[in-house]
PDB file of all heavy atoms in Angstrom:
ATOM      1  N   LEU F 235     -81.648-102.362 -39.818  1.00 98.00           N
ATOM      2  CA  LEU F 235     -82.862-101.610 -39.524  1.00 98.00           C
ATOM      3  C   LEU F 235     -82.451-100.334 -38.816  1.00 98.00           C
ATOM      4  O   LEU F 235     -81.502-100.328 -38.028  1.00 98.00           O
ATOM      5  CB  LEU F 235     -83.807-102.412 -38.623  1.00 98.00           C
ATOM      6  CG  LEU F 235     -84.241-103.790 -39.115  1.00 98.00           C
ATOM      7  CD1 LEU F 235     -85.069-104.490 -38.042  1.00 98.00           C
ATOM      8  CD2 LEU F 235     -85.026-103.673 -40.414  1.00 98.00           C
ATOM      9  N   ALA F 236     -83.143 -99.235 -39.088  1.00 98.00           N
ATOM     10  CA  ALA F 236     -82.799 -97.970 -38.441  1.00 98.00           C
ATOM     11  C   ALA F 236     -84.040 -97.148 -38.170  1.00 98.00           C
ATOM     12  O   ALA F 236     -85.088 -97.318 -38.817  1.00 98.00           O
ATOM     13  CB  ALA F 236     -81.809 -97.175 -39.291  1.00 98.00           C
ATOM     14  N   CYS F 237     -83.895 -96.238 -37.212  1.00 98.00           N
ATOM     15  CA  CYS F 237     -84.991 -95.366 -36.808  1.00 98.00           C
ATOM     16  C   CYS F 237     -84.395 -94.055 -36.307  1.00 98.00           C
ATOM     17  O   CYS F 237     -83.309 -94.048 -35.711  1.00 98.00           O
ATOM     18  CB  CYS F 237     -85.798 -96.046 -35.699  1.00 98.00           C
ATOM     19  SG  CYS F 237     -87.159 -95.075 -35.043  1.00 98.00           S
ATOM     20  N   VAL F 238     -85.088 -92.941 -36.564  1.00 97.00           N
ATOM     21  CA  VAL F 238     -84.623 -91.633 -36.079  1.00 97.00           C
ATOM     22  C   VAL F 238     -85.727 -90.991 -35.221  1.00 97.00           C
ATOM     23  O   VAL F 238     -86.502 -90.167 -35.696  1.00 97.00           O
ATOM     24  CB  VAL F 238     -84.218 -90.697 -37.236  1.00 97.00           C
ATOM     25  CG1 VAL F 238     -82.882 -91.100 -37.805  1.00 97.00           C
ATOM     26  CG2 VAL F 238     -85.259 -90.695 -38.354  1.00 97.00           C
ATOM     27  N   PRO F 239     -85.808 -91.389 -33.951  1.00 95.00           N
ATOM     28  CA  PRO F 239     -86.858 -90.830 -33.093  1.00 95.00           C
ATOM     29  C   PRO F 239     -86.730 -89.331 -32.873  1.00 95.00           C
ATOM     30  O   PRO F 239     -87.712 -88.648 -32.618  1.00 95.00           O
ATOM     31  CB  PRO F 239     -86.701 -91.608 -31.784  1.00 95.00           C
ATOM     32  CG  PRO F 239     -85.303 -92.137 -31.816  1.00 95.00           C
ATOM     33  CD  PRO F 239     -84.987 -92.385 -33.248  1.00 95.00           C
ATOM     34  N   SER F 240     -85.497 -88.803 -32.973  1.00 91.00           N
ATOM     35  CA  SER F 240     -85.309 -87.364 -32.820  1.00 91.00           C
ATOM     36  C   SER F 240     -84.115 -86.920 -33.647  1.00 91.00           C
ATOM     37  O   SER F 240     -83.375 -87.743 -34.179  1.00 91.00           O
ATOM     38  CB  SER F 240     -85.102 -86.981 -31.344  1.00 91.00           C
ATOM     39  OG  SER F 240     -83.923 -87.549 -30.836  1.00 91.00           O
ATOM     40  N   ARG F 241     -83.955 -85.614 -33.744  1.00 89.00           N
ATOM     41  CA  ARG F 241     -82.901 -85.037 -34.570  1.00 89.00           C
ATOM     42  C   ARG F 241     -81.513 -85.490 -34.157  1.00 89.00           C
ATOM     43  O   ARG F 241     -80.612 -85.617 -34.991  1.00 89.00           O
ATOM     44  CB  ARG F 241     -82.989 -83.508 -34.480  1.00 89.00           C
ATOM     45  CG  ARG F 241     -82.024 -82.753 -35.353  1.00 89.00           C
ATOM     46  CD  ARG F 241     -82.160 -81.253 -35.130  1.00 89.00           C
ATOM     47  NE  ARG F 241     -81.630 -80.828 -33.839  1.00 89.00           N
ATOM     48  CZ  ARG F 241     -81.638 -79.573 -33.405  1.00 89.00           C
ATOM     49  NH1 ARG F 241     -82.180 -78.633 -34.148  1.00 89.00           N
ATOM     50  NH2 ARG F 241     -81.135 -79.256 -32.227  1.00 89.00           N
ATOM     51  N   ASP F 242     -81.327 -85.790 -32.870  1.00 90.00           N
ATOM     52  CA  ASP F 242     -79.991 -86.077 -32.362  1.00 90.00           C
ATOM     53  C   ASP F 242     -79.756 -87.548 -32.028  1.00 90.00           C
ATOM     54  O   ASP F 242     -78.785 -87.878 -31.360  1.00 90.00           O
ATOM     55  CB  ASP F 242     -79.709 -85.224 -31.119  1.00 90.00           C
ATOM     56  CG  ASP F 242     -80.737 -85.437 -30.014  1.00 90.00           C
ATOM     57  OD1 ASP F 242     -81.750 -86.132 -30.262  1.00 90.00           O
ATOM     58  OD2 ASP F 242     -80.553 -84.909 -28.909  1.00 90.00           O
ATOM     59  N   ILE F 243     -80.627 -88.428 -32.512  1.00 93.00           N
ATOM     60  CA  ILE F 243     -80.477 -89.850 -32.205  1.00 93.00           C
ATOM     61  C   ILE F 243     -80.816 -90.702 -33.429  1.00 93.00           C
ATOM     62  O   ILE F 243     -81.842 -90.508 -34.068  1.00 93.00           O
ATOM     63  CB  ILE F 243     -81.390 -90.281 -31.036  1.00 93.00           C
ATOM     64  CG1 ILE F 243     -80.948 -89.627 -29.721  1.00 93.00           C
ATOM     65  CG2 ILE F 243     -81.391 -91.800 -30.882  1.00 93.00           C
ATOM     66  CD1 ILE F 243     -81.874 -89.905 -28.571  1.00 93.00           C
ATOM     67  N   VAL F 244     -79.935 -91.651 -33.726  1.00 97.00           N
ATOM     68  CA  VAL F 244     -80.219 -92.696 -34.714  1.00 97.00           C
ATOM     69  C   VAL F 244     -80.050 -94.044 -34.020  1.00 97.00           C
ATOM     70  O   VAL F 244     -79.027 -94.293 -33.374  1.00 97.00           O
ATOM     71  CB  VAL F 244     -79.266 -92.614 -35.923  1.00 97.00           C
ATOM     72  CG1 VAL F 244     -79.516 -93.793 -36.873  1.00 97.00           C
ATOM     73  CG2 VAL F 244     -79.448 -91.314 -36.676  1.00 97.00           C
ATOM     74  N   LEU F 245     -81.056 -94.877 -34.131  1.00 98.00           N
ATOM     75  CA  LEU F 245     -80.978 -96.243 -33.628  1.00 98.00           C
ATOM     76  C   LEU F 245     -80.823 -97.190 -34.810  1.00 98.00           C
ATOM     77  O   LEU F 245     -81.410 -96.969 -35.866  1.00 98.00           O
ATOM     78  CB  LEU F 245     -82.258 -96.608 -32.864  1.00 98.00           C
ATOM     79  CG  LEU F 245     -82.625 -95.756 -31.657  1.00 98.00           C
ATOM     80  CD1 LEU F 245     -83.964 -96.208 -31.088  1.00 98.00           C
ATOM     81  CD2 LEU F 245     -81.547 -95.820 -30.585  1.00 98.00           C
ATOM     82  N   TYR F 246     -80.024 -98.245 -34.617  1.00 98.00           N
ATOM     83  CA  TYR F 246     -79.950 -99.247 -35.680  1.00 98.00           C
ATOM     84  C   TYR F 246     -79.719-100.623 -35.086  1.00 98.00           C
ATOM     85  O   TYR F 246     -79.269-100.767 -33.942  1.00 98.00           O
ATOM     86  CB  TYR F 246     -78.876 -98.885 -36.705  1.00 98.00           C
ATOM     87  CG  TYR F 246     -77.471 -99.303 -36.351  1.00 98.00           C
ATOM     88  CD1 TYR F 246     -76.963-100.537 -36.781  1.00 98.00           C
ATOM     89  CD2 TYR F 246     -76.634 -98.476 -35.608  1.00 98.00           C
ATOM     90  CE1 TYR F 246     -75.666-100.926 -36.464  1.00 98.00           C
ATOM     91  CE2 TYR F 246     -75.337 -98.866 -35.294  1.00 98.00           C
ATOM     92  CZ  TYR F 246     -74.862-100.094 -35.724  1.00 98.00           C
ATOM     93  OH  TYR F 246     -73.586-100.479 -35.411  1.00 98.00           O
ATOM     94  N   ALA F 247     -80.037-101.644 -35.877  1.00 98.00           N
ATOM     95  CA  ALA F 247     -79.880-103.018 -35.420  1.00 98.00           C
ATOM     96  C   ALA F 247     -79.803-103.945 -36.622  1.00 98.00           C
ATOM     97  O   ALA F 247     -80.176-103.582 -37.746  1.00 98.00           O
ATOM     98  CB  ALA F 247     -81.054-103.423 -34.520  1.00 98.00           C
ATOM     99  N   ASP F 248     -79.340-105.153 -36.364  1.00 97.00           N
ATOM    100  CA  ASP F 248     -79.283-106.223 -37.358  1.00 97.00           C
ATOM    101  C   ASP F 248     -80.618-106.964 -37.293  1.00 97.00           C
ATOM    102  O   ASP F 248     -81.018-107.461 -36.240  1.00 97.00           O
ATOM    103  CB  ASP F 248     -78.121-107.158 -37.001  1.00 97.00           C
ATOM    104  CG  ASP F 248     -77.968-108.334 -37.964  1.00 97.00           C
ATOM    105  OD1 ASP F 248     -78.866-108.551 -38.795  1.00 97.00           O
ATOM    106  OD2 ASP F 248     -76.945-109.033 -37.863  1.00 97.00           O
ATOM    107  N   SER F 249     -81.307-107.059 -38.420  1.00 96.00           N
ATOM    108  CA  SER F 249     -82.620-107.708 -38.432  1.00 96.00           C
ATOM    109  C   SER F 249     -82.553-109.179 -38.040  1.00 96.00           C
ATOM    110  O   SER F 249     -83.565-109.768 -37.632  1.00 96.00           O
ATOM    111  CB  SER F 249     -83.249-107.584 -39.825  1.00 96.00           C
ATOM    112  OG  SER F 249     -82.482-108.295 -40.796  1.00 96.00           O
ATOM    113  N   ALA F 250     -81.369-109.777 -38.148  1.00 97.00           N
ATOM    114  CA  ALA F 250     -81.222-111.191 -37.796  1.00 97.00           C
ATOM    115  C   ALA F 250     -81.111-111.418 -36.291  1.00 97.00           C
ATOM    116  O   ALA F 250     -81.246-112.552 -35.820  1.00 97.00           O
ATOM    117  CB  ALA F 250     -79.990-111.780 -38.495  1.00 97.00           C
ATOM    118  N   GLU F 251     -80.876-110.359 -35.533  1.00 95.00           N
ATOM    119  CA  GLU F 251     -80.754-110.485 -34.083  1.00 95.00           C
ATOM    120  C   GLU F 251     -82.132-110.668 -33.447  1.00 95.00           C
ATOM    121  O   GLU F 251     -83.081-109.938 -33.743  1.00 95.00           O
ATOM    122  CB  GLU F 251     -80.094-109.226 -33.502  1.00 95.00           C
ATOM    123  CG  GLU F 251     -78.633-109.074 -33.857  1.00 95.00           C
ATOM    124  CD  GLU F 251     -77.740-109.937 -32.982  1.00 95.00           C
ATOM    125  OE1 GLU F 251     -78.243-110.537 -32.015  1.00 95.00           O
ATOM    126  OE2 GLU F 251     -76.534-110.011 -33.274  1.00 95.00           O
ATOM    127  N   GLU F 252     -82.225-111.638 -32.558  1.00 92.00           N
ATOM    128  CA  GLU F 252     -83.496-111.925 -31.901  1.00 92.00           C
ATOM    129  C   GLU F 252     -83.966-110.723 -31.074  1.00 92.00           C
ATOM    130  O   GLU F 252     -83.183-110.113 -30.344  1.00 92.00           O
ATOM    131  CB  GLU F 252     -83.343-113.150 -30.992  1.00 92.00           C
ATOM    132  CG  GLU F 252     -84.645-113.602 -30.351  1.00 92.00           C
ATOM    133  CD  GLU F 252     -84.456-114.860 -29.507  1.00 92.00           C
ATOM    134  OE1 GLU F 252     -83.302-115.354 -29.424  1.00 92.00           O
ATOM    135  OE2 GLU F 252     -85.450-115.328 -28.937  1.00 92.00           O
ATOM    136  N   ASP F 253     -85.222-110.382 -31.230  1.00 94.00           N
ATOM    137  CA  ASP F 253     -85.873-109.294 -30.481  1.00 94.00           C
ATOM    138  C   ASP F 253     -85.359-107.907 -30.849  1.00 94.00           C
ATOM    139  O   ASP F 253     -85.744-106.918 -30.201  1.00 94.00           O
ATOM    140  CB  ASP F 253     -85.718-109.483 -28.965  1.00 94.00           C
ATOM    141  CG  ASP F 253     -86.361-110.759 -28.454  1.00 94.00           C
ATOM    142  OD1 ASP F 253     -87.376-111.173 -29.052  1.00 94.00           O
ATOM    143  OD2 ASP F 253     -85.849-111.343 -27.486  1.00 94.00           O
ATOM    144  N   ALA F 254     -84.499-107.799 -31.864  1.00 96.00           N
ATOM    145  CA  ALA F 254     -83.928-106.487 -32.194  1.00 96.00           C
ATOM    146  C   ALA F 254     -85.005-105.485 -32.584  1.00 96.00           C
ATOM    147  O   ALA F 254     -85.009-104.350 -32.094  1.00 96.00           O
ATOM    148  CB  ALA F 254     -82.910-106.633 -33.329  1.00 96.00           C
TER     149      ALA F 254
END
Side-chain angles (χ1 to χ4, degrees):
L235 304 175
C237 178
V238 284
S240 64
R241 184 183 72 180
D242 57 352
I243 293 175
V244 175
L245 301 176
Y246 84 92
D248 179 350
S249 65
E251 291 280 352
E252 185 177 1
D253 298 329

